[in-house]
Amino acid sequence: MALLGFKKRFGLDISDASIEALEFEKVFGKIKIKSYGRVEIEPKKIVEDGLIKEKNLLIEAIKKVLEKSKPEKIRAKEVLISLPESRVFIHIFELPSHLKEKEIEEVISYEIESIFPYPSRELFLDFKIINKTDKSQEIFLAASLKRVINDFKEVLEGAGLIPVVFDMESKSLGRALIDKFEKNKGIIILDIGARTSIISVFDKASLRFTTNLKIAGNLFSQKISEGLNLSFSEAEKIKIKKGFLSERFGEILKKESESVCQELKRVIKYIERKYALPIEKIILAGGSSLLPGLREYFQEKIGLRVEIGDPLTKIGKNTILHKKEKRILFANVIGLGLRALEKNPLKSDINLLKS
């Protein structure tokens, strides 16, 4: 499907617990939010771990977020979404620089089943040349299961939309949160959501590494609930209010976060050894990144600069999201919206949608 010219497109972020929609527009060369919306969905009932459980309920939830978007309804039909990191496989490798796109495709077709844990017939994949020298070129390869992509495609079409891009969540977050790189240095995004924490490493060329941990906001609440004999909902409320600064349960959160710190240290050593790439800083994302004292805890334990991500870094503060305390929840959909503004968003980066 060839889509040329400037068409109205918007980003849609579908997670296990919420859906965010956002459409940008350019006014005199400046990026403005035309419309945005967010609805919460019942965790594990409609979507769980990036898999759709109830297609009809998800279709209705998508229609609802578009209907409730403000300051006006989102009427664009072409949509960009991202797949969660747990549903995407990546591999970075080198090939001789003289190989053309078709030849690269042939190499991948021969090697695919030795790279990823599924037969090639079950996968959609895409690749991008991320670095090239006189002798070699670096290839970023991504793949996802056809059944996962086809389920999301079916739901989007059921909601009256035309899917045009299936992006990666980590790449979308990076697009929104990373303004610029220092020369020959990398940046980590630590996305602490409700269900998982995702560590993603970027340099100027590309996403270099990503991994998932089953330690995140829900586990924090569960451990507080068990430690203080509270209901989960009560634990959730006081966690959000006091976080790592609490005298009653701050040590519980620190103990549960220790394995995240250890994994961060391992990733940093791996990246420095493999790519000779020192890490400049860690950017926090996800709803749990806002817990009081969490930023300071990670900064002290890791010994690097840690900052809470600002999803408005590329679009300026003069937007309707500026005063939202939890605007970090819109980081992924802002990254999708920024890609939607590009001249050719279908081919500007990894796109796992195949017609």
Side-chain angles (χ1 to χ4, degrees):
M1 177 168 53
L3 299 172
L4 304 175
F6 293 94
K7 295 197 175 187
K8 290 183 179 180
R9 303 179 175 114
F10 72 99
L12 189 70
D13 178 17
I14 301 171
S15 69
D16 289 9
S18 66
I19 302 173
E20 288 81 34
L22 183 141
E23 182 181 358
F24 282 124
E25 62 182 345
K26 278 192 175 181
V27 180
F28 300 114
K30 291 186 177 182
I31 299 173
K32 302 287 185 182
I33 295 175
K34 182 179 180 182
S35 191
Y36 77 98
R38 182 176 192 269
V39 297
E40 294 184 354
I41 57 178
E42 189 173 344
K44 298 185 178 181
K45 182 177 180 181
I46 301 176
V47 180
E48 183 175 12
D49 193 19
L51 297 177
I52 300 172
K53 298 180 71 175
E54 294 286 349
K55 290 181 181 179
N56 288 335
L57 290 179
L58 185 54
I59 288 171
E60 292 308 310
I62 291 170
K63 289 179 178 179
K64 182 178 178 182
V65 75
L66 300 181
E67 185 74 19
K68 294 182 68 175
S69 294
K70 54 188 178 183
E72 60 184 81
K73 299 176 187 177
I74 293 178
R75 303 186 187 280
K77 295 299 181 185
E78 295 188 357
V79 63
L80 296 80
I81 75 164
S82 63
L83 292 167
E85 229 56 19
S86 59
R87 298 300 161 193
V88 181
F89 313 103
I90 69 168
H91 182 64
I92 299 173
F93 59 101
E94 287 190 0
L95 290 175
S97 61
H98 67 269
L99 293 183
K100 305 299 183 186
E101 186 170 317
K102 288 293 183 184
E103 294 170 310
I104 295 172
E105 288 178 357
E106 288 181 15
V107 172
I108 291 171
S109 68
Y110 287 124
E111 300 293 334
I112 189 70
E113 294 191 12
S114 66
I115 296 172
F116 298 131
Y118 290 95
S120 58
R121 66 179 180 277
E122 295 182 16
L123 297 170
F124 284 139
L125 56 89
D126 194 15
F127 71 90
K128 182 178 174 65
I129 299 169
I130 58 174
N131 201 17
K132 197 167 187 177
T133 66
D134 291 340
K135 295 183 178 180
S136 66
Q137 54 186 330
E138 262 189 313
I139 312 297
F140 183 99
L141 174 65
S144 186
L145 286 167
K146 290 181 179 180
R147 59 180 172 82
V148 173
I149 292 173
N150 286 336
D151 279 352
F152 275 101
K153 186 171 182 282
E154 180 184 334
V155 163
L156 294 169
E157 290 173 346
L161 301 175
I162 304 169
V164 294
V165 169
F166 274 46
D167 204 340
M168 295 175 57
E169 184 176 356
S170 55
K171 280 181 164 282
S172 185
L173 279 175
R175 195 178 300 117
L177 297 177
I178 300 175
D179 187 21
K180 59 183 178 180
F181 289 93
E182 285 193 22
K183 189 176 181 181
N184 299 323
K185 287 189 177 181
I187 292 174
I188 287 177
I189 293 180
L190 174 58
D191 180 14
I192 311 174
R195 183 179 51 82
T196 61
S197 293
I198 302 170
I199 300 171
S200 303
V201 184
F202 297 81
D203 68 2
K204 192 172 184 179
S206 177
L207 172 70
R208 288 290 176 182
F209 178 89
T210 183
T211 187
N212 287 270
L213 303 174
K214 299 291 186 181
I215 302 164
N218 287 346
L219 180 63
F220 292 161
S221 298
Q222 178 187 328
K223 293 299 181 181
I224 293 170
S225 170
E226 293 169 357
L228 302 182
N229 195 26
L230 299 171
S231 70
F232 185 89
S233 60
E234 288 174 321
E236 182 82 3
K237 288 177 183 176
I238 63 170
K239 176 194 74 174
I240 293 170
K241 186 175 181 180
K242 298 288 186 178
F244 284 63
L245 302 180
S246 170
E247 293 182 4
R248 296 177 66 199
F249 57 82
E251 290 304 315
I252 295 175
L253 296 180
K254 291 175 183 178
K255 180 181 177 182
E256 295 304 321
S257 299
E258 181 62 31
S259 56
V260 179
C261 290
Q262 293 305 317
E263 185 63 20
L264 277 167
K265 290 175 181 178
R266 282 193 289 270
V267 169
I268 289 167
K269 285 183 180 179
Y270 169 77
I271 292 297
E272 288 180 345
R273 183 173 66 251
K274 184 174 178 64
Y275 297 108
L277 188 69
I279 300 300
E280 173 196 349
K281 63 181 177 180
I282 298 171
I283 299 175
L284 299 177
S288 296
S289 69
L290 302 175
L291 293 180
L294 181 143
R295 183 192 70 81
E296 293 81 1
Y297 168 79
F298 278 106
Q299 184 162 287
E300 180 182 350
K301 296 291 287 187
I302 305 300
L304 288 174
R305 177 157 56 103
V306 179
E307 59 188 48
I308 297 174
D310 183 1
L312 305 183
T313 188
K314 289 184 178 177
I315 59 178
K317 305 294 185 184
N318 187 26
T319 75
I320 50 181
L321 284 179
H322 175 54
K323 292 184 178 180
K324 278 199 169 289
E325 183 182 348
K326 295 185 178 181
R327 60 179 181 266
I328 191 65
L329 298 176
F330 289 85
N332 187 33
V333 79
I334 284 174
L336 292 168
L338 288 171
R339 180 168 176 174
L341 284 179
E342 296 172 5
K343 286 186 178 180
N344 189 358
L346 282 72
K347 295 185 178 295
S348 62
D349 209 330
I350 292 295
N351 184 2
L352 289 164
L353 176 64
K354 302 298 177 184
S355 57

